[in-house]
Amino acid sequence: TQLLEQSPQFLSIQEGENLTVYCNSSSVFSSLQWYRQEPGEGPVLLVTVVTGGEVKKLKRLTFQFGDARKDSSLHITAAQPGDTGLYLCAGSSWAGKSTFGDGTTLTVKP
Amino acid sequence: DTEVTQTPKHLVMGMTNKKSLKCEQHMGHRAMYWYKQKAKKPPELMFVYSYEKLSINESVPSRFSPECPNSSLLNLHLHALQPEDSALYLCASSQALLGPQHFGDGTRLSIL
């Protein structure tokens, strides 16, 4: 079974601060996705990373895939209240399964 | 607006009822998924369909029965559920089995 450890589990910060969420595994993934989920809605895909060492930017969000394709990070610069939500990483295996991390609940206070 | 549509949004049923959850996507995706999600927890995979064939069943109890009538539709038939089955049921689709998934907004299911 492939496990993904996500940290921190909870994060409460003030508007304007920076933060990083980590997603770690001992397994290699073919690709890794980051999702954000708001209450009452399904997860929304933010990014997919495929190549080891890959860095992708989405406005104030920076995603990095580890060189060995076992870990990833999400960095948010100057967080805003609209960034509040549950952030989920998910690793895709070659068997077609997605393994989700336990999620990081982010609260950004105005 | 999500491109994966789930109905109903909310469902309350007794333990002896039979009901179905429906999921529809028109993105031409060939893989579709059912997940169960409890509050503040990640989605748990239940079933995966690839090209309308059941590809993965994560040892889900038989009171949950999936069906894929065509490439755009995915159903989850429910019968004799237990209170612990109360959860948000999410449907997702992807272009292929290994691709990133697009989720619907889920059906909030409550078992009395």
Side-chain angles (χ1 to χ4, degrees):
Chain A
T1 303
Q2 295 179 301
L3 297 175
L4 267 174
E5 294 184 354
Q6 204 171 324
S7 62
Q9 192 175 359
F10 297 97
L11 193 53
S12 181
I13 61 172
Q14 292 295 133
E15 181 175 1
E17 292 183 8
N18 302 332
L19 67 114
T20 302
V21 178
Y22 299 93
C23 185
N24 296 301
S25 176
S26 58
S27 303
V28 177
F29 293 101
S30 61
S31 66
L32 191 140
Q33 289 80 43
W34 284 94
Y35 297 86
R36 180 171 70 219
Q37 185 176 21
E38 299 188 32
E41 299 180 6
V44 174
L45 178 68
L46 297 174
V47 79
T48 297
V49 285
V50 178
T51 307
E54 184 176 4
V55 176
K56 281 192 174 179
K57 294 195 177 205
L58 185 66
K59 296 183 182 177
R60 294 176 293 99
L61 278 60
T62 302
F63 305 86
Q64 186 160 8
F65 202 13
D67 291 340
R69 303 217 301 266
K70 293 181 180 181
D71 54 83
S72 181
S73 64
L74 157 60
H75 182 80
I76 301 179
T77 304
Q80 298 177 1
D83 296 327
T84 293
L86 175 66
Y87 287 81
L88 295 159
C89 63
S92 295
S93 74
W94 280 268
K97 286 188 183 183
S98 279
T99 301
F100 279 85
D102 282 342
T104 295
T105 299
L106 172 65
T107 303
V108 182
K109 301 175 186 175
Chain B
D1 287 340
T2 181
E3 295 176 73
V4 177
T5 304
Q6 288 189 245
T7 55
K9 287 185 73 71
H10 303 276
L11 180 61
V12 179
M13 57 187 286
M15 289 190 282
T16 58
N17 291 157
K18 284 186 182 182
K19 296 284 184 185
S20 297
L21 308 185
K22 297 186 182 302
C23 175
E24 190 168 1
Q25 58 87 14
H26 294 289
M27 294 178 282
H29 289 176
R30 303 316 300 261
M32 296 186 76
Y33 310 77
W34 279 116
Y35 288 88
K36 173 183 177 180
Q37 187 178 28
K38 291 282 201 179
K40 299 194 186 300
K41 295 291 185 183
E44 297 173 33
L45 183 65
M46 299 175 72
F47 303 103
V48 181
Y49 274 81
S50 178
Y51 288 87
E52 299 154 54
K53 299 275 188 251
L54 184 63
S55 174
I56 296 173
N57 176 344
E58 288 288 347
S59 302
V60 179
S62 60
R63 58 186 185 268
F64 295 91
S65 175
E67 178 197 19
C68 190
N70 61 55
S71 60
S72 300
L73 293 174
L74 186 66
N75 299 322
L76 186 62
H77 303 297
L78 314 173
H79 174 53
L81 295 195
Q82 304 297 308
E84 61 265 27
D85 296 323
S86 297
L88 180 69
Y89 287 83
L90 291 163
C91 172
S93 70
S94 61
Q95 195 160 21
L97 255 187
L98 297 181
Q101 295 172 31
H102 297 256
F103 284 83
D105 283 338
T107 293
R108 176 73 59 191
L109 177 65
S110 297
I111 307 300
L112 302 179

